[in-house]
Amino acid sequence: MSTHIRTKRLTVPQLVAMKGQQKIVSLTAYSSSIARLIDPVVDFILIGDSTAMVGYGRASTLSMQLEEIIGHTRAVVDSTRLACVIADMPFASYQESHEQAFRNCAQVLARTGCDAVKLEANKTLASTVEFLVARGIPVMAHIGLMPQFVNVMGGFKAQGLSAQNAGVIAADARANLEAGAFSLLLEGVAEGVARQITLDSEMPTIGIGASPACDGQILVTEDLLGLSGEHLPRFVKQYADVGAVIRDACERFAEDVRNAGFPEARHCYGL
Ligand code: KIV
């Protein structure tokens, strides 16, 4: 259960101030129902572009559209009042130019009321982060395994395993911190690399498959609930089998309809 009492939505500076004080807890949400449930439990909610795969059943995150992220983010903001809300910027919505990135990130903030955006940003894209932060857009920089680079990387592969690759990730981290990112999300990064970046950074690091060395952890909610099907990443701890609960409830409904012609309910209007 939650160990903190919060009465207002956590702000980005408050999230940053948690570094070194307490571990940061985060989960993804795409819908109002999940957002409402996790709001009192987590520090921030990410509307991840993973919804392309988890929510829409697509093969990668690349097809996620700006309008889709805006719709899901609005649902999450409108259904929550405590957690900081961060929207994931979809592929091709910020890589073209600084101006394109600002236009689209500003739209996301203005139309949804979310608190910040997350960008998959290597060293090259750090100048975009700098441009956005200077114009009032708080940015969480996602480094390490970046799913929007799946075609460049040739799959979803753990990062930082060789000295050369560890150096690339450390340079990505440095560039984004210098650019003003308020946090680094480390995905699929080797423990030693995650630990060093966390030690070197004044901003909090959030890990997903990046070891306990990070300042906080995030998981895709459907993964920990057992709603993601068979393709569960190896680092995920499944806390519940909600899929089985849903299947069972639906089977009992089907049985009622087939046997009795009607599900027994508390009220039946019109009878
Ligand atoms: O899209 C997503 O869900 C993410 C994960 C790292 C949480 O970016």
Side-chain angles (χ1 to χ4, degrees), residues 28 30 46 48-50 88 118 142 185 187 208 218-220:
T28 60
Y30 319 120
L46 175 74
D49 63 355
S50 55
D88 213 359
K118 174 167 86 60
H142 179 154
L185 188 143
E187 179 165 358
I208 177 161
I218 185 166
L219 280 181
V220 170

Side-chain angles (χ1 to χ4, degrees), residues 19-20 22-24 198 201 203-207 212-217:
K19 183 173 172 105
Q22 71 187 97
K23 289 281 187 180
I24 297 171
T198 301
S201 165
M203 299 298 165
T205 59
I206 309 298
C214 299
D215 296 308
Q217 299 292 328

Side-chain angles (χ1 to χ4, degrees), residues 128-151:
T128 303
V129 173
E130 186 171 10
F131 190 86
L132 295 172
V133 175
R135 284 157 184 78
I137 302 193
V139 179
M140 173 180 279
H142 179 154
I143 60 173
L145 195 174
M146 294 180 284
Q148 292 179 11
F149 287 74
V150 60
N151 292 321

Side-chain angles (χ1 to χ4, degrees), residues 29-244:
Y30 319 120
S31 66
S32 152
S33 47
I34 295 283
R36 247 196 328 268
L37 288 169
I38 67 174
D39 185 37
V41 179
V42 300
D43 298 308
F44 77 88
I45 297 177
L46 175 74
I47 298 84
D49 63 355
S50 55
T51 191
M53 300 167 80
V54 176
Y56 290 94
R58 302 175 190 157
S60 78
T61 59
L62 297 181
S63 63
M64 199 66 199
Q65 300 296 304
L66 189 65
E67 285 305 317
E68 291 172 333
I69 279 288
I70 288 175
H72 289 286
T73 304
R74 273 208 65 169
V76 170
V77 171
D78 289 350
S79 324
T80 57
R81 58 182 190 87
L82 300 174
C84 187
V85 177
I86 303 178
D88 213 359
M89 292 304 291
F91 178 63
S93 71
Y94 59 93
Q95 293 92 339
E96 196 178 312
S97 66
H98 292 170
E99 289 74 16
Q100 182 222 22
F102 179 76
R103 204 166 36 250
N104 288 333
C105 291
Q107 256 205 82
V108 169
L109 256 67
R111 290 175 59 193
T112 69
C114 72
D115 301 282
V117 294
K118 174 167 86 60
L119 262 57
E120 293 185 16
N122 55 19
K123 199 173 152 184
T124 306
L125 283 161
S127 68
T128 303
V129 173
E130 186 171 10
F131 190 86
L132 295 172
V133 175
R135 284 157 184 78
I137 302 193
V139 179
M140 173 180 279
H142 179 154
I143 60 173
L145 195 174
M146 294 180 284
Q148 292 179 11
F149 287 74
V150 60
N151 292 321
V152 175
M153 296 186 303
F156 300 110
K157 295 179 180 160
Q159 300 292 304
L161 300 179
S162 70
Q164 189 270 338
N165 189 232
V168 170
I169 295 165
D172 289 347
R174 226 175 4 258
N176 278 297
L177 290 169
E178 282 167 13
F182 72 85
S183 171
L184 297 173
L185 188 143
L186 310 182
E187 179 165 358
V189 171
E191 177 158 4
V193 182
R195 173 165 293 112
Q196 196 55 51
I197 291 174
T198 301
L199 282 173
D200 292 345
S201 165
E202 283 179 17
M203 299 298 165
T205 59
I206 309 298
I208 177 161
S211 89
C214 299
D215 296 308
Q217 299 292 328
I218 185 166
L219 280 181
V220 170
T221 301
E222 280 75 356
D223 287 349
L224 76 88
L225 293 181
L227 287 171
S228 296
E230 288 146 25
H231 304 294
L232 204 61
R234 270 187 304 162
F235 56 80
V236 171
K237 177 173 173 185
Q238 193 183 314
Y239 287 80
D241 191 357
V242 176

